[in-house]
Amino acid sequence: MTDELHSARVRTRTVRLTVNGVPHHIRVDTRATLLDTLRERLGLTGAKKGCDHGECGTCTVLVGGRRVYSCLTLTVAVDGAEVTTVEGLAGDGGPHPLQRAFVEHRAVQCGYCAPGQLCAAVAVLAEAEAGMPSAVTPDLSAPPALDPAETRERMSGNLCRCGCYGRIAVAIAEVAR
């Protein structure tokens, strides 16, 4: 296929995204994933490309406060959305409480999965606070408590090859109190 023919077939579209509080209007290939847009177009390399198949959770970011695998999300599908990456979790007063707890409890070893784990954990806390049950919530009429079983279930989409699950759960429990 010639370059001209390839260029003629590539479709682009301008999207609006607010990423970590900063508005962006960017023209993207309609096939571009949110992960590639964040990393390659906006220079936000916190979210990592792990499996690139939605199996490891390393690319987890928040879209409208809900966690998504950015490797499986097309950028055009989130046009107009508010996106939060690990770079956007910290506030003016310093690191997010979960970031602090992860450090204090040594919940990361190599750190590669940490951005996705942190974004997922922020969503887990918000889901529990909003009363959203998980697959293991024993009483659907009561607000879910983030006990170890709830935390494990809610974080099950994020893998850590270093095996820091126990410490990650402790860090989440500390912030959930």
Side-chain angles (χ1 to χ4, degrees), residues 68-142:
V68 301
Y69 295 144
S70 61
C71 73
L72 296 181
T73 304
L74 292 175
T75 304
V76 294
V78 294
D79 185 15
E82 297 217 5
V83 178
T84 303
T85 69
V86 71
E87 292 96 336
L89 293 181
D92 293 336
H96 186 282
L98 276 167
Q99 291 171 314
R100 243 186 235 123
F102 269 53
V103 170
E104 288 173 10
H105 293 284
R106 294 175 288 138
V108 293
Q109 285 184 5
C110 82
Y112 196 80
C113 72
Q117 298 274 1
L118 284 161
C119 285
V122 167
V124 163
L125 293 175
E127 290 165 5
E129 188 173 319
M132 297 171 64
S134 78
V136 299
T137 303
D139 181 1
L140 298 181
S141 64

Side-chain angles (χ1 to χ4, degrees), residues 7 40 48 88 149-150 162 164 176:
S7 295
E40 297 171 11
K48 303 294 188 247
E150 278 284 346
C162 299
C164 291

Side-chain angles (χ1 to χ4, degrees), residues 43-68:
L44 297 168
T45 57
K48 303 294 188 247
K49 186 175 278 192
C51 66
D52 209 20
H53 291 87
E55 295 175 358
C56 72
T58 302
C59 66
T60 303
V61 300
L62 305 173
V63 173
R66 302 198 65 174
R67 58 189 147 163
V68 301

